[in-house]
């Protein structure tokens, strides 16, 4: 597992990863007055690292109310997910996102999606700057009202993003980060 700081520095631009001995990382990107940050855990697989941000970071981007409404029809259960704007409670129409890690859904004109399976998690990503991740608390819930907050550009969320680590260098997003001696 790598330890220490790896960075790319260019004029007005600094991007870096810090790794500690307990399997945690910190990421930061500085471009002028622009700052993006993240931190979380590392999983090592051969020469690859999989980094995943702490999920509480995305909790700031929205909130969820779960409830049990009893939607079923001839032994088939349904789950309804409704997405709303946090500020004025208007439905968010045409929002594409993933449920249960693999199923892509799109909200209708009421901001709703109906699925014929139990919900385990919701992962909403748009503009690559915004992510909201939610893990279901009550497995019996079948109605979820998600209120999404405005974009917070300073936080970035990684979900098992791959980094290649070799000879004190990291390769991430077609860029090479060099080890920085302190």
């Amino acid at each position: 597992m790598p330890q220490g700081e790896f960075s790319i520095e260019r004029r007005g631009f600094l991007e870096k990863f810090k790794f500690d001995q307990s399997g945690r990382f910190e990421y930061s990107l500085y471009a002028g007055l622009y700052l993006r940050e993240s931190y979380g855990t590392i999983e090592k697989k051969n020469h690859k690292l999989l980094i995943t941000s702490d999920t509480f970071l995305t909790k700031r981007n929205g909130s969820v109310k779960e409830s049990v409404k009893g939607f079923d029809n001839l032994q088939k259960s349904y789950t309804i997910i409704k997405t709303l704007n946090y500020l004025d409670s208007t439905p968010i129409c045409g929002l594409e996102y993933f449920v249960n890690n693999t199923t892509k859904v799109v909200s209708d004109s009421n901001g709703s999606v109906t699925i014929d399976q139990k919900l385990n998690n919701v992962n909403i990503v748009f503009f690559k700057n915004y992510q909201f991740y939610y893990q279901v608390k009550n497995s019996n819930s079948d109605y979820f009202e998600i209120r999404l907050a405005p974009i917070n550009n300073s936080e970035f969320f990684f979900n098992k993003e791959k980094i290649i680590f070799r000879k004190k260098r990291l390769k991430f997003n077609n860029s090479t980060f060099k080890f920085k001696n302190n």
Side-chain angles (χ1 to χ4, degrees):
M1 196 76 74
Q3 291 179 27
E5 188 173 300
F6 297 80
S7 62
I8 296 175
E9 292 185 53
R10 294 183 208 123
R11 188 179 198 185
F13 175 92
L14 171 64
E15 187 173 15
K16 64 183 176 178
F17 281 99
K18 276 186 180 176
F19 299 96
D20 67 22
Q21 59 196 19
S22 66
R24 305 256 325 140
F25 78 91
E26 290 179 27
Y27 168 82
S28 55
L29 168 65
Y30 302 90
L33 297 174
Y34 181 72
L35 167 66
R36 297 203 56 204
E37 297 179 296
S38 189
Y39 41 91
T41 57
I42 311 162
E43 179 184 341
K44 186 173 182 183
K45 289 194 175 183
N46 300 325
H47 291 293
K48 293 180 184 168
L49 304 174
L50 301 178
I51 58 172
T52 302
S53 300
D54 294 335
T55 56
F56 77 85
L57 289 174
T58 64
K59 301 261 189 289
R60 298 177 193 169
N61 294 334
S63 64
V64 178
K65 287 183 186 173
E66 291 185 31
S67 57
V68 178
K69 301 266 185 179
F71 301 119
D72 55 31
N73 184 2
L74 301 173
Q75 299 178 336
K76 198 165 205 177
S77 295
Y78 294 93
T79 301
I80 296 177
I81 307 161
K82 185 162 181 108
T83 52
L84 302 169
N85 182 311
Y86 192 84
L87 299 174
D88 61 7
S89 297
T90 56
I92 301 174
C93 311
L95 180 63
E96 291 183 4
Y97 56 96
F98 286 93
V99 297
N100 299 338
N101 293 324
T102 57
T103 306
K104 188 176 189 177
V105 296
V106 180
S107 63
D108 65 14
S109 60
N110 294 317
S112 296
V113 168
T114 302
I115 59 174
D116 62 354
Q117 56 186 292
K118 287 285 188 186
L119 186 67
N120 297 317
N121 60 58
V122 174
N123 191 4
I124 298 171
V125 178
F126 54 94
F127 299 131
K128 285 203 165 201
N129 294 348
Y130 184 97
Q131 184 160 9
F132 177 76
Y133 180 84
Y134 181 74
Q135 186 75 37
V136 172
K137 307 272 187 278
N138 179 355
S139 63
N140 293 322
S141 294
D142 58 2
Y143 181 80
F144 299 84
E145 187 175 278
I146 301 173
R147 293 183 180 273
L148 297 173
I151 292 174
N152 181 346
N153 281 327
S154 66
E155 295 171 347
F156 194 73
F157 186 85
F158 296 107
N159 186 15
K160 295 197 183 265
E161 297 289 329
K162 292 177 187 161
I163 296 177
I164 297 172
F165 173 63
R166 286 196 182 117
K167 298 182 182 177
K168 297 203 176 208
R169 293 186 190 273
L170 297 177
K171 271 204 161 294
F172 178 68
N173 283 346
N174 297 322
S175 296
T176 301
F177 292 72
K178 295 179 183 175
F179 181 72
K180 184 177 178 181
N181 292 329
N182 291 334

